[in-house]
Amino acid sequence: MHIHTRRTAAAAAIAATLLALAGCTSDNSASKQQAKQNDLAAGTADKFSRAVPYPYANGLPSDPLERKNLSRRLTQYNSKGNTNYVYVFAGMTDKVIGYYVIRGKVSSTSSQMTSTQVNVHCGYGGDHITCTNDAIGDDGSYGPDEGGDNGVFFFTTNGTLVETDQPFLVSSQPIKLYASVPQLDAPTAKH
């Protein structure tokens, strides 16, 4: 019995060694194949980079249009005196319900003037422990805003607050394509 146990243990050890060697060979082969693919990809990327080099490698871009666009949008769109046109769509369709004429910009209902998180004391350990919790919103309540993730609000030229979660489009000029849709904040005619 004792010899049989030794033979079984030796056979198991040999089988494990053979499996490990087979695995190493297979893993080694896969590693070599992966290394070849990596070298090929790096060589291809290098060829593309030499053929069309990054244009600003030797200095700043001659005309940083993205930053200029951001600056222009911020100064124009974030100005209370500018008129904008907000076209509101019905759900996820291409049907325009109508448009509003607004002063200033469209704002997210998720924006708030106070911090969205607050650090609070939550216990003692070896050190003083603080936890970060959600803070109350500007309106004094917890939870999502009325419009959810897609909610926006704006003020019309006559000061009316409008809040919606419908898809919308904003333009600094009227859009001719929507010339026949109603102005939703148009003054009503007096009879």
Side-chain angles (χ1 to χ4, degrees):
M1 281 280 263
H2 187 64
I3 294 174
H4 184 337
T5 305
R6 282 187 188 170
R7 283 185 185 164
T8 304
I14 290 170
T17 303
L18 290 174
L19 284 174
L21 288 174
C24 286
T25 303
S26 174
D27 287 345
N28 193 17
S29 175
S31 295
K32 286 181 182 177
Q33 184 64 25
Q34 183 64 46
K36 275 185 184 178
Q37 294 297 323
N38 290 345
D39 290 344
L40 180 63
T44 301
D46 188 48
K47 287 177 188 173
F48 284 151
S49 292
R50 281 194 308 269
V52 182
Y54 182 68
Y56 307 128
N58 295 324
L60 295 175
S62 61
D63 194 3
L65 291 177
E66 185 72 14
R67 293 186 61 83
K68 286 182 179 180
N69 284 346
L70 291 170
S71 175
R72 182 175 176 187
R73 177 181 179 268
L74 182 61
T75 55
Q76 179 174 333
Y77 192 53
N78 209 33
S79 172
K80 69 177 182 175
N82 282 353
T83 300
N84 288 295
Y85 300 82
V86 180
Y87 296 87
V88 179
F89 292 80
M92 299 307 280
T93 70
D94 60 356
K95 179 174 174 37
V96 176
I97 297 170
Y99 72 97
Y100 291 96
V101 180
I102 69 168
R103 292 239 191 273
K105 70 183 294 290
V106 173
S107 296
S108 169
T109 56
S110 296
S111 297
Q112 66 180 58
M113 296 176 67
T114 57
S115 177
T116 59
Q117 296 184 322
V118 61
N119 291 329
V120 296
H121 170 74
C122 61
Y124 291 100
D127 296 318
H128 178 71
I129 299 173
T130 58
C131 300
T132 302
N133 293 340
D134 290 337
I136 60 172
D138 287 342
D139 64 359
S141 69
Y142 292 94
D145 294 300
E146 295 81 5
D149 291 340
N150 299 317
V152 296
F153 69 94
F154 48 84
F155 295 93
T156 65
T157 54
N158 66 8
T160 302
L161 168 65
V162 178
E163 186 172 315
T164 182
D165 67 350
Q166 297 299 309
F168 66 95
L169 181 146
V170 179
S171 174
S172 61
Q173 296 291 321
I175 299 175
K176 291 179 184 178
L177 179 66
Y178 304 125
S180 63
V181 298
Q183 181 178 345
L184 299 172
D185 60 330
T188 55
K190 295 182 181 179
H191 296 289

